Amino acid sequence: MLNTVAARVPEGAMNSERRMVETKEISSTEDNGTSRRIRVMHLLNTEVRGGIEEGVLSLLRNLNRERFATALACPRRLIDAYGHDLDELGVDVYSIPAVSRPYDIGGMLRLARVLRSAAPDVLHTHLFTMSLCAAPLAKAYGVRVVIESCRIREGWRRGIWKHHFVDRLVNRCVDVNIAISESLKRYLVEEKGFPARKVVLIRNGRELSRVVAAPRRDAAALRNELGLDSRGPVIVVPARLEFPKGHRHLLDALPKVIENYPNLSVVLVGDGSLRMEIESQIARLALREHVCMTGYRRDVYDLVRLGDLVVLPSLFEGLPLAAIEAGALGKAIVATSVDGTPEVVLHGKTGWLVPPANPDELASGICKLLADDELRNQMGARAREYVTQEYSFDRLVDQTEQLYARLCEPFIH
């Protein structure tokens, strides 16, 4: 276990070779005497590489290096999962525990040491559990600007957490809340009760040029590697194995789909805390011959291309990156009509929307699109055109940079 924080990695270095950041004085000007760059630290407490983590990585990759000095603090498992994708960025990387509650004293002390060492001008957290721990601590350590990105509606909350009292209390230490969809903006203002003046819409986006340009593997070889039926249709589900993603409802829907498509293959791409539970459900429903669980894959775009259809059975969403990526690759989508998903998947045009937690409707939507090759192809073509126009990552980066600069203008000269 590290006792201090892991730092920037020279390009090509292995994770075990990361040097350690030392606490140091931060100059108010650059060496050439000009105004210094704005120091921005992104903070994640997740350990599995998924859509949120990919979005943060893309943002770090694209922020203007002449204006911003960037850093990332996250758990060691996520650092390792990023691997060389993170190494090549040349950002400062700090290892922190997956702290999600303020009474985790050890984790809070580690987080405090990171904040003291990095001395960011802007602390940008992702998801409320990270803000719960980091926002008050950041203000106590003199961080000027705290930003929280809301990426999902937390509809699973119960008890004291359901009423958002704690959220509103913690939000006093947050300067701006970023909502990644119109749906989430309404959620923050109308349900959580955050001040509307603090909530900024910066719609989610993806580096679509990287998605489209990703190297392609031979489809037949990939089918063989995964043990998929060579004759039947393929459904791809790119989503972390977590409760909000709704995998159990898809699995409940599959027996009905298999009645119509006995050679069906379903590829679950991703990892998460529910892996064993999902494996048990697959066994209970006798679906082992039809469902392949890949875990985290770097060739996810090849897997999406392999699919005849992409399915997103989520119970809660912010603005699903998986839908944006699938659209960029020309794939029709069957998804649940939750939160920001209808902003990406246009019902009857770029995909098919069904109610959440409804296996019968989900099975019906899947069968409808699998039965009509022409409709699927038309939807995929329209999806590619739509996401290319509406979900530019350049727009997201530009709006984020403008937000950082505006908030820091009073004290950065």
Side-chain angles (χ1 to χ4, degrees):
M1 179 178 295
L2 295 175
N3 293 319
T4 53
V5 287
R8 182 179 299 174
V9 185
E11 185 172 352
M14 299 300 291
N15 290 331
S16 60
E17 297 173 341
R18 287 187 171 93
R19 67 178 176 82
M20 312 310 290
V21 167
E22 301 293 339
T23 302
K24 56 187 177 183
E25 292 294 325
I26 304 294
S27 172
S28 61
T29 61
E30 300 287 8
D31 292 339
N32 60 8
T34 61
S35 296
R36 67 173 173 83
R37 294 179 295 169
I38 296 172
R39 297 188 298 271
V40 179
M41 169 173 278
H42 285 263
L43 206 55
L44 288 163
N45 63 354
T46 51
E47 296 184 288
V48 175
R49 188 171 174 177
I52 294 173
E53 295 73 26
E54 292 298 330
V56 172
L57 185 69
S58 293
L59 189 55
L60 290 169
R61 183 184 291 119
N62 286 277
L63 286 173
N64 187 329
R65 300 296 178 85
E66 294 183 359
R67 298 178 66 193
F68 304 98
T70 53
L72 172 69
C74 64
R76 167 60 70 180
R77 284 186 60 192
L78 182 56
I79 294 172
D80 292 341
Y82 277 138
H84 290 297
D85 290 338
L86 185 59
D87 296 345
E88 66 186 14
L89 299 187
V91 302
D92 286 341
V93 181
Y94 297 82
S95 175
I96 61 170
V99 57
S100 61
R101 292 292 184 269
Y103 47 76
D104 179 352
I105 303 302
M108 293 292 285
L109 289 174
R110 289 280 298 281
L111 186 55
R113 287 201 295 271
V114 166
L115 292 175
R116 186 172 60 248
S117 176
D121 301 305
V122 178
L123 185 69
H124 191 155
T125 70
H126 301 267
L127 300 175
F128 172 70
T129 54
M130 192 71 262
S131 298
L132 175 64
C133 300
L137 200 59
K139 288 302 182 182
Y141 274 87
V143 176
R144 300 288 192 99
V145 176
V146 177
I147 298 173
E148 177 191 335
S149 280
C150 177
R151 296 180 172 274
I152 192 167
R153 180 173 63 87
E154 301 144 326
W156 60 87
R157 288 189 177 193
R158 296 293 181 269
I160 186 175
W161 299 101
K162 184 177 181 180
H163 300 289
H164 305 300
F165 168 76
V166 176
D167 302 60
R168 289 190 291 273
L169 190 63
V170 171
N171 199 245
R172 294 179 181 180
C173 299
V174 174
D175 297 282
V176 169
N177 301 96
I178 294 177
I180 65 169
S181 69
E182 291 281 3
S183 172
L184 284 178
K185 184 176 181 180
R186 292 193 297 271
Y187 166 65
L188 292 178
V189 175
E190 297 172 8
E191 292 190 41
K192 283 202 171 187
F194 290 176
R197 60 179 172 78
K198 290 176 62 171
V199 180
V200 174
L201 173 66
I202 299 181
R203 199 183 300 276
N204 214 356
R206 196 72 178 96
E207 293 179 280
L208 298 183
S209 60
R210 296 176 70 92
V211 174
V212 174
R216 300 189 181 204
R217 294 183 57 192
D218 178 72
L222 192 52
R223 272 183 180 258
N224 184 63
E225 175 191 326
L226 298 174
L228 308 183
D229 191 296
S230 61
R231 300 162 294 169
V234 176
I235 290 173
V236 178
V237 187
R240 292 176 296 113
L241 305 183
E242 303 292 349
F243 172 76
K245 298 303 181 180
H247 290 86
R248 65 187 180 95
H249 301 292
L250 171 63
L251 296 178
D252 285 340
L254 287 182
K256 183 177 178 180
V257 180
I258 291 168
E259 286 179 10
N260 296 280
Y261 299 93
N263 295 323
L264 177 74
S265 294
V266 179
V267 181
L268 305 185
V269 187
D271 208 346
S273 63
L274 296 186
R275 184 180 184 94
M276 292 182 63
E277 182 178 318
I278 290 171
E279 288 175 343
S280 297
Q281 187 179 4
I282 290 170
R284 187 170 66 253
L285 295 174
L287 296 173
R288 282 178 173 165
E289 293 185 4
H290 297 276
V291 179
C292 169
M293 300 178 69
T294 71
Y296 172 76
R297 299 274 297 213
R298 291 184 177 272
D299 59 348
V300 61
Y301 303 137
D302 280 323
L303 298 177
V304 171
R305 289 189 183 101
L306 184 67
D308 296 284
L309 191 62
V310 171
V311 177
L312 302 175
S314 305
L315 302 176
F316 313 101
E317 276 291 355
L319 198 76
L321 282 174
I324 296 173
E325 294 169 340
L329 294 172
K331 295 297 177 179
I333 305 167
V334 174
T336 47
S337 183
V338 295
D339 305 321
T341 301
E343 298 176 36
V344 182
V345 182
L346 307 182
H347 182 61
K349 296 180 180 180
T350 67
W352 198 259
L353 295 173
V354 300
N358 191 323
D360 289 340
E361 288 288 341
L362 184 57
S364 178
I366 292 171
C367 289
K368 177 180 177 63
L369 265 62
L370 286 180
D372 194 331
D373 292 349
E374 183 177 357
L375 176 62
R376 251 189 359 264
N377 291 336
Q378 290 175 352
M379 285 182 169
R382 286 194 292 261
R384 182 188 292 114
E385 181 181 2
Y386 176 67
V387 301
T388 300
Q389 291 177 351
E390 298 296 324
Y391 294 98
S392 161
F393 199 74
D394 289 342
R395 169 198 47 78
L396 181 153
V397 173
D398 183 60
Q399 291 177 346
T400 303
E401 289 183 345
Q402 288 183 39
L403 179 64
Y404 292 162
R406 175 172 64 83
L407 294 173
C408 292
E409 185 177 4
F411 57 91
I412 297 289
H413 303 289

